Amino acid sequence: MKVLELQNLQREEGQIFYLRKYTCDAVIELPTATETAGILFTIEVNPMGKRIIQITFTKPINYPLLPVKKALNEFILTEELEGRLPQC
């Protein structure tokens, strides 16, 4: 399983500088097919600098959630560290 891309990525405005909220459609390559899932995710930076990512699906997907969330978490963290997520 592999996350291919995040489509329609938009950042929600917020007043808390260490918490960023995003909405998007994640394109996920599953063993049987490629599926698009709507997700909401937040990136919170704690006082020690660690990034905590929380992911919520807008509709259920037909695959176990743990491996999907793990792959999404890794993909989002990579995008964040390489500066490809919208800042404003």
Side-chain angles (χ1 to χ4, degrees):
M1 178 189 42
K2 180 179 175 184
V3 178
L4 301 177
E5 65 177 320
L6 300 176
Q7 297 177 341
N8 305 324
L9 183 62
Q10 296 180 349
R11 180 176 175 189
E12 295 180 15
E13 288 297 321
Q15 302 300 320
I16 304 173
F17 69 93
Y18 59 86
L19 181 67
R20 295 188 310 271
K21 297 179 182 182
Y22 296 91
T23 60
C24 69
D25 297 320
V27 180
I28 305 166
E29 182 181 356
L30 301 174
T32 56
T34 301
E35 188 169 329
T36 303
I39 63 169
L40 308 167
F41 67 93
T42 60
I43 302 174
E44 181 178 354
V45 181
N46 71 9
M48 302 302 278
K50 182 179 178 187
R51 288 171 173 80
I52 301 166
I53 300 172
Q54 295 180 345
I55 301 169
T56 305
F57 291 90
T58 58
K59 62 180 181 178
I61 60 170
N62 190 17
Y63 199 78
L65 285 181
L66 284 178
V68 173
K69 279 192 171 185
K70 182 179 181 216
L72 279 168
N73 197 340
E74 292 171 359
F75 186 82
I76 291 169
L77 185 59
T78 302
E79 294 288 302
E80 163 72 13
L81 293 176
E82 293 179 1
R84 289 189 228 144
L85 294 180
Q87 298 299 318
C88 297

